[in-house]
Amino acid sequence: MINQYPLWKYLLIAAVALVGIIYALPNVYGDDPAVQISPRHGAPVNAALREQVSSVLTKNKLKYKAIQVTKNQMLVRFYNTNDQLAAVDRLTNALKEKYVVALNLAPATPSWLRDIGALPMYLGLDLRGGVHFLMEVDMQAAVKQHYERYVGEMRTALRNKRIRYSSVEYTQNGVLLQFRDTQDRGKARDLLHSQYEGLKLQDQSTDRGPGLLASLTENKMRDIEKFALEQNITTLRNRVNQLGVAEPVIQQQGNKRIVVELPGVQDTARAKEILGATATLAFHFVDENNNPAQAASSGHVPAGDELLKERSSGRPILLKRHVILTGDYITDASSGFDQQNGGPAVFITLDGKGGHLMRQSTRDNVGRLMAVVYIETKIETSKVNGKTVKHVKKLRSVINVARIREELGKRFQITGLDSPQEARNLALLLRSGALAAPMEIIEERTVGPSLGKTNIAQGMLSVEVGFAVVCLFMLVYYRVFGFMADLALGFNLVLIVAILSLLQATLTLPGIAGIVLTVGMAVDANVLIYERIREELRNGNSPQASIHAGYEKAFGTIADANITTLIAGLVLFSFGTGPVKGFAVTLSIGIVTSMFTAIMGTRAIVNLLYGGRRSVKLAI
């Protein structure tokens, strides 16, 4: 009997080894300290910006390695962190409000590897350093916003049905409606009962006359709080994109808290600014009968108006105070092009109530200008006389002004945008750019890069020591066959790193623990095979027959053991969170690759060394 592989198997193993080495290679090069420049409000990322950035850096004698444009962003690489930190201040002052300037760590992978999609795997917070936030959603504010929305809707509904009322106002217990007589109150109760689900309607007379208190049921309140939490998580994911964070962790904790982990983020102040800002949207009519420039210079704003500024140009604009619609009614938004003039546009979809309100508001106002107002609410904490005081700061700006061409309903489009990029940004903002409720950062923890480097060093040391001890044991106990197992073990580590890089998975300390465990388990298959070969030799079989029997008869046992471990890894991944998932990923990948390297890889080497000879003595 002669043990030989067909040529295609040798070529397959060689190809897998080559691909593994290429895609594991980017992890050797490390990171460059970098500054990421992202556009705001459709600002261009072009040669002029590149020239401006280069000029600012040269003028301030800051040496940079390269300036790259990727995915409509600009990345400036530096040789050291001192130049990087100094560059952020200079570029922020030079680029003003049109661009977001943030610190980052950029992979130093050569361009030829990047061109074929070979990128390093991401490192988790515990390895790379970064920032950890625990944020709490203000559920009372979420409920209050819901009640305030009801106030405007109920006023409109009562006017449409010609039901007389004295007042409709928000109170701590709900929306209180005042009427002149009990007959109007009865009509209002029937109307609200038919139009609104999840409301409790109670008669509540006051000194002003008969009243009706509309309050949310417990189930409706829970739904509002659940939606607020889910919407805030979705919004945070989009905001984190501005920081250029690879593999951020954004997940729910409890009923009203959100955990945000941003690996590699050095600019924690910028991260807090983006994550902590609370935003909402509102649609207003533009006052075209008065001069906004004159109102801005004189400080006299016409009655019923408010004076704001366009965010892109900074020009003053007068808006009617009456709110047509808020962003709460938007269910979807997408960007595209206007069919009539080919200009960029955003296509809006409203829910049923939103569509009804929009039809009513725009039916008699075709030809008027309508503005979209972006409202940010920031919670700033300061120390006053040794006590922590919270200040609420509201910022309002107009992000878009467009003329109403026809009566609008559930679906309509916004035009008048400067570029397709601005249309995409606005669609993203309308779709998920507004937080459903304010949030406060109640815990902040920064993991320094130095601690991350220490964790990497200790993790690598554990892998190296485990690898060396296992290799030494196999070499001493199984001699030449042990050396083959050691080669397969090294090949296995390369494949694990390559697959993690291809998947762009995040490596954490528990992930390194999974790799260390895999190193010990990977040689189990070789031990079973080699012991079977030694048993066959003791029974008097020829070396070639013993090799064949060792690999064939041990395969079933190896498969059973590895499949059960793989099932355990998949269960950990399915039901675990965070660190548990990281451990499960590396363990599962290691199990699959060890099957390939320990069985097919070592068999190929054995066949090359011993397969062509009939009379041979096995060094096992």
Side-chain angles (χ1 to χ4, degrees):
M1 176 181 290
I2 296 177
N3 290 294
Q4 285 290 349
Y5 265 165
L7 179 61
W8 70 267
K9 283 192 176 183
Y10 289 115
L11 294 177
L12 174 64
I13 294 170
V16 171
L18 180 61
V19 171
I21 291 171
I22 289 175
Y23 282 92
L25 197 58
N27 297 280
V28 176
Y29 292 94
D31 296 319
D32 286 331
V35 171
Q36 179 179 287
I37 303 171
S38 307
R40 274 180 174 166
H41 324 314
V45 179
N46 50 26
L49 176 62
R50 185 190 186 101
E51 183 64 29
Q52 184 183 2
V53 170
S54 177
S55 176
V56 170
L57 297 176
T58 303
K59 181 180 178 181
N60 289 278
K61 298 180 180 179
L62 298 173
K63 294 183 179 180
Y64 60 90
K65 186 183 290 186
I67 300 178
Q68 300 170 333
V69 177
T70 57
K71 296 181 181 179
N72 201 32
Q73 293 178 337
M74 188 166 287
L75 195 69
V76 186
R77 297 173 181 267
F78 294 89
Y79 292 97
N80 55 67
T81 54
N82 291 333
D83 288 343
Q84 176 202 28
L85 295 172
V88 167
D89 296 333
R90 306 295 187 274
L91 291 173
T92 301
N93 292 332
L95 300 178
K96 304 297 182 185
E97 298 295 326
K98 291 186 177 182
Y99 297 88
V100 176
V101 181
L103 292 168
N104 205 348
L105 294 172
T109 310
S111 58
W112 67 273
L113 283 173
R114 291 198 302 269
D115 291 341
I116 60 173
L119 299 171
M121 58 185 163
Y122 294 132
L123 298 180
L125 190 69
D126 49 3
L127 297 180
R128 194 177 191 184
V131 63
H132 165 99
F133 293 117
L134 180 61
M135 313 184 79
E136 188 171 83
V137 180
D138 188 346
M139 293 303 182
Q140 289 184 348
V143 174
K144 181 181 177 182
Q145 288 175 5
H146 215 77
Y147 276 130
E148 289 176 342
R149 192 177 76 178
Y150 279 153
V151 169
E153 291 179 3
M154 290 177 178
R155 284 174 180 165
T156 303
L158 293 173
R159 282 198 301 267
N160 291 340
K161 295 296 182 180
R162 301 185 184 280
I163 300 174
R164 294 175 298 175
Y165 63 91
S166 302
S167 65
V168 178
E169 57 189 6
Y170 165 74
T171 67
Q172 289 185 344
N173 299 320
V175 179
L176 181 62
L177 301 92
Q178 293 287 157
F179 302 93
R180 296 178 182 177
D181 52 51
T182 55
Q183 185 178 1
D184 287 334
R185 182 174 66 181
K187 292 179 181 178
R189 184 192 299 108
D190 294 339
L191 175 65
L192 298 181
H193 182 73
S194 63
Q195 288 194 359
Y196 293 95
E197 294 182 2
L199 278 182
K200 293 185 294 184
L201 302 172
Q202 298 173 301
D203 292 344
Q204 184 171 316
S205 298
T206 67
D207 55 358
R208 291 184 291 172
L212 185 65
L213 180 66
S215 58
L216 294 167
T217 62
E218 290 295 327
N219 289 337
K220 183 66 174 179
M221 200 170 295
R222 279 196 296 269
D223 289 342
I224 292 170
E225 293 176 352
K226 182 181 178 183
F227 171 80
L229 193 65
E230 292 175 350
Q231 176 69 9
N232 281 11
I233 289 174
T234 301
T235 302
L236 286 175
R237 293 188 197 281
N238 289 297
R239 290 187 176 188
V240 163
N241 290 339
Q242 294 190 52
L243 295 170
V245 180
E247 290 294 304
V249 175
I250 303 173
Q251 60 189 17
Q252 179 179 340
Q253 185 179 90
N255 295 325
K256 59 180 181 179
R257 292 182 174 180
I258 302 171
V259 173
V260 180
E261 291 185 350
L262 308 176
V265 169
Q266 298 164 288
D267 193 347
T268 56
R270 181 63 188 157
K272 289 174 70 174
E273 180 186 346
I274 289 179
L275 297 178
T278 302
T280 187
L281 297 170
F283 292 79
H284 294 256
F285 286 122
V286 177
D287 183 354
E288 301 177 64
N289 298 322
N290 293 288
N291 190 332
Q294 184 179 349
S297 60
S298 66
H300 177 70
V301 179
D305 287 1
E306 62 177 329
L307 183 66
L308 296 179
K309 289 185 177 181
E310 290 191 58
R311 194 165 64 176
S312 58
S313 63
R315 293 179 301 181
I317 184 170
L318 283 171
L319 302 182
K320 292 294 183 182
R321 286 189 177 275
H322 173 69
V323 179
I324 303 171
L325 199 72
T326 64
D328 297 334
Y329 296 96
I330 296 175
T331 59
D332 191 25
S334 60
S335 60
F337 294 92
D338 183 16
Q339 294 182 354
Q340 295 186 11
N341 59 23
V346 175
F347 302 93
I348 307 295
T349 302
L350 303 174
D351 61 15
K353 290 181 181 178
H356 178 69
L357 288 171
M358 184 59 79
R359 272 192 297 272
Q360 285 185 322
S361 300
T362 59
R363 184 179 297 128
D364 300 324
N365 291 283
V366 174
R368 292 187 63 180
L369 289 174
M370 183 174 67
V372 182
V373 179
Y374 184 62
I375 308 165
E376 282 188 301
T377 306
K378 295 184 179 181
I379 302 175
E380 298 179 349
T381 305
S382 60
K383 292 282 186 179
V384 178
N385 298 326
K387 295 182 180 180
T388 301
V389 179
K390 295 178 182 178
H391 304 279
V392 179
K393 184 179 180 182
K394 281 200 172 186
L395 303 174
R396 297 166 62 88
S397 59
V398 177
I399 59 173
N400 172 255
V401 177
R403 195 166 296 282
I404 301 171
R405 295 181 176 177
E406 57 187 356
E407 176 186 321
L408 304 178
K410 188 176 180 180
R411 294 181 179 86
F412 60 94
Q413 69 179 35
I414 295 175
T415 57
L417 300 161
D418 293 334
S419 65
Q421 179 61 38
E422 186 180 0
R424 286 191 291 270
N425 292 342
L426 180 57
L428 175 62
L429 176 66
L430 295 174
R431 188 166 58 245
S432 59
L435 292 173
M439 290 190 302
E440 180 186 2
I441 297 173
I442 61 174
E443 180 187 324
E444 176 185 345
R445 187 170 69 249
T446 301
V447 180
S450 58
L451 179 59
K453 289 180 180 178
T454 302
N455 289 337
I456 292 175
Q458 292 177 342
M460 289 300 296
L461 180 63
S462 64
V463 174
E464 291 166 1
V465 170
F467 182 81
V469 171
V470 171
C471 286
L472 182 62
F473 170 79
M474 294 297 290
L475 193 61
V476 170
Y477 197 76
Y478 292 111
R479 297 191 234 174
V480 174
F481 277 74
F483 178 71
M484 298 177 196
D486 293 344
L487 289 177
L489 188 58
F491 181 27
N492 185 44
L493 284 177
V494 171
L495 286 183
I496 292 173
V497 174
I499 292 173
L500 287 173
S501 301
L502 274 170
L503 296 176
Q504 288 290 273
T506 302
L507 182 67
T508 60
L509 273 178
I512 292 179
I515 294 176
V516 175
L517 181 60
T518 301
V519 167
M521 295 174 59
V523 294
D524 285 353
N526 293 115
V527 170
L528 290 171
I529 293 169
Y530 294 168
E531 287 301 319
R532 186 74 193 195
I533 292 174
R534 291 171 71 169
E535 183 180 344
E536 294 291 329
L537 289 173
R538 284 194 295 269
N539 291 336
N541 290 328
S542 67
Q544 298 294 351
S546 298
I547 291 172
H548 180 77
Y551 278 94
E552 291 295 322
K553 294 180 180 180
F555 179 78
T557 306
I558 295 169
D560 287 345
N562 282 280
I563 288 172
T564 52
T565 308
L566 184 61
I567 291 172
L570 293 176
V571 170
L572 285 174
F573 181 82
S574 300
F575 297 102
T577 58
V580 177
K581 280 184 179 287
F583 174 81
V585 167
T586 53
L587 178 64
S588 301
I589 292 173
I591 291 298
V592 174
T593 56
S594 67
M595 288 279 289
F596 177 80
T597 57
I599 298 175
M600 196 169 180
T602 57
R603 182 72 185 270
I605 301 174
V606 169
N607 288 349
L608 285 173
L609 286 179
Y610 298 110
R613 294 181 285 174
R614 293 186 179 277
S615 178
V616 65
K617 184 177 181 181
L618 302 182
I620 194 173

